[in-house]
Amino acid sequence: QEFKILAILWDASERNMGTLSAKGVSDRGVLLGLAIRHENVRKVIRMRLGKYVETLTEQIGNNRIYRYKISPSGGEYFVSKYLK
């Protein structure tokens, strides 16, 4: 699951897509053949990928939406571990 999230966010970064919500990460994963449930996206980022993924909070009314993007160190880690 860590690989999937990093791969999806790295792809989004390479395509200049900006930040993605957990649902956006999940939907993008389906398009890339890396299906992951949006509930798992939030959990894995919070528990294991905090130093590789930047989390931004967006307030809409009474609701908070968390949006994610790969951090520079996350991009370096992903490329060195999976693409070389």
Side-chain angles (χ1 to χ4, degrees):
Q1 289 184 326
E2 292 172 20
F3 166 78
K4 288 180 181 182
I5 292 169
L6 289 174
I8 294 162
L9 291 176
W10 181 82
D11 176 72
S13 174
E14 290 294 300
R15 296 174 187 274
N16 295 317
M17 296 177 69
T19 60
L20 298 175
S21 66
K23 181 77 167 105
V25 172
S26 178
D27 292 345
R28 184 87 188 137
V30 170
L31 292 174
L32 297 174
L34 299 169
I36 185 168
R37 294 176 55 166
H38 67 278
E39 298 92 345
N40 292 341
V41 169
R42 285 191 283 272
K43 181 173 65 174
V44 171
I45 289 173
R46 186 174 55 246
M47 295 177 74
R48 293 186 238 157
L49 295 176
K51 66 181 179 179
Y52 298 129
V53 176
E54 293 179 22
T55 302
L56 300 112
T57 306
E58 184 179 332
Q59 189 77 31
I60 299 180
N62 292 332
N63 298 320
R64 277 191 197 151
I65 296 177
Y66 296 97
R67 302 186 68 77
Y68 307 100
K69 71 177 186 175
I70 198 163
S71 68
S73 63
E76 290 172 14
Y77 171 76
F78 178 77
V79 168
S80 69
K81 180 159 181 161
Y82 298 109
L83 299 182
K84 288 190 176 182

